[in-house]
Amino acid sequence: MFAAVAEGAGPKRGGEALKLHRAAMFGEVSNADASRQTLAKPHVAKIGTGFAVITSNRVPRPDCADQARRRGGARNRADRVSHHLTAAQVAGLLAAARQAGVIGLPLNRMTTIHWERAGVPLAGMVKATGRYTDLVTRFMARRGHRTAWICVHENGPRKGGHCHLLLHAPAGLVKALTGQQRAILKRITGKPYRARVIKSDPVGGKLGIEATAPDLHAVNLARALDYLAKGATEDAAALLALHRLDGGGLVIGRRCGTSQNIGAKARKGNA
C-alpha cells in the first residue's frame, strides 16, 4: 500500500533509515544512498494511500479522472460543482501516475498554485489551470521535451481556490521552467505576480532522483499522491485504504485531470 514512512522507522538499506524530507508539505522521504529498498509496512497515522493501487493493474476504471477533448476526460462546466474526489477519480489519478512511469515520463515535480491569491475567482480556477498546463507543455515542447501531469483542485477557508500538480520535468530544463513560471502566471491572470502564489519542488527534494534512485523516488511519489488524494470521500478512503482525509472544499468545474498521454484512453491502448 502507499504506506507512510515515519521518520527513523521506515525501510532501511545498509543500516540507513529513510528520513522524512521536512521541506515538503506532503511528507517526502530522503536518502541519498537508497536505490533498492525493501518497503516494510510501518505504522500509519492519518496518512497513506495504498502502494498496491499504483503498482497493480487491478484498479477501478475512472469515470472522470481525465480531461476533456485535448486534455482528456469529463468536460468542464460552470454548473458542475463538487466537494470531494470520488473513488473512481482517485483510482484514475493513481493509474495515470503509474502510466507516466511506463512511458518514460515519471512524475518528478510537485507544483501548487494558489489561484485565489493570484486574483483568479473560484469559477475561473479550472480554466486557469488548463491554461497553465497548456503553456508549460508548449514551453517544454519547444525545447524538444515531452511532459505528463496530473492535477487536483481544492478550496479552503485559508488558501482559497488552489491546485496541486504532479508533472514530469527533465532535470536539465527545471531552471528554465521555474524561471518562466511567473511570466506564465502573469500571462494567464493579466496581473503582476504576487508572493507565495506558486510553489514548485522536486519530488524527493532532489533533481533527477527518479533516475539516480528510482525506488526512493517511488516512495516519495507515493507520499505526494497521498497528499493529492486527501480530498477524497469517506467511501473512497474505505475502498482504496486512504488514511489522510482533509476535505476538498467546493470546486466549480472539473475537480481533477491528467494529460492526454496518460489518460484513460492512453492506458487502455497500452493494456
Side-chain angles (χ1 to χ4, degrees), residues 14-144:
E16 294 184 354
L18 293 176
K19 296 180 179 179
L20 287 177
H21 182 63
R22 295 183 181 277
M25 60 185 173
F26 47 88
E28 294 172 341
V29 296
S30 61
N31 185 337
D33 188 37
S35 59
R36 294 192 61 82
Q37 302 90 345
T38 300
L39 300 182
K41 186 177 181 180
H43 174 70
V44 177
K46 296 185 179 181
I47 49 179
T49 298
F51 191 78
V53 177
I54 195 170
T55 57
S56 169
N57 289 323
R58 298 178 63 186
V59 181
R61 178 172 294 180
D63 294 325
C64 55
D66 309 305
Q67 293 183 327
R69 298 178 182 173
R70 183 178 177 191
R71 300 187 183 93
R75 298 181 66 182
N76 181 46
R77 301 194 311 269
D79 62 344
R80 180 177 170 215
V81 300
S82 64
H83 290 81
H84 300 281
L85 287 166
T86 67
Q89 288 174 325
V90 174
L93 291 170
L94 298 177
R98 179 168 60 85
Q99 181 67 13
V102 169
I103 65 175
L105 301 172
L107 305 180
N108 59 4
R109 195 156 194 87
M110 175 77 162
T111 298
T112 297
I113 306 174
H114 296 95
W115 287 118
E116 182 172 306
R117 183 169 180 80
V120 175
L122 186 62
M125 175 172 66
V126 171
K127 182 178 179 180
T129 299
R131 184 64 173 148
Y132 179 85
T133 56
D134 184 53
L135 290 173
V136 167
T137 299
R138 294 185 183 192
F139 175 85
M140 293 190 186
R142 287 194 299 269
R143 287 155 180 79

Side-chain angles (χ1 to χ4, degrees), residues 1-5 41-53 90 94 222-223 225-247:
M1 305 300 280
F2 256 109
V5 181
K41 186 177 181 180
H43 174 70
V44 177
K46 296 185 179 181
I47 49 179
T49 298
F51 191 78
V53 177
V90 174
L94 298 177
R223 295 183 66 85
L225 289 164
D226 182 79
Y227 186 78
L228 261 67
K230 70 184 184 299
T233 64
E234 292 186 3
D235 288 344
L239 178 63
L240 299 174
L242 309 179
H243 293 83
R244 178 172 187 159
L245 294 181
D246 194 23

Side-chain angles (χ1 to χ4, degrees), residues 197-254:
V197 164
I198 189 167
K199 177 178 174 59
S200 186
D201 296 294
V203 171
K206 184 177 181 180
L207 289 178
I209 193 174
E210 68 280 2
T212 59
D215 290 347
L216 181 58
H217 169 261
V219 175
N220 281 286
L221 178 58
R223 295 183 66 85
L225 289 164
D226 182 79
Y227 186 78
L228 261 67
K230 70 184 184 299
T233 64
E234 292 186 3
D235 288 344
L239 178 63
L240 299 174
L242 309 179
H243 293 83
R244 178 172 187 159
L245 294 181
D246 194 23
L250 171 67
V251 169
I252 302 173
R254 186 178 54 250

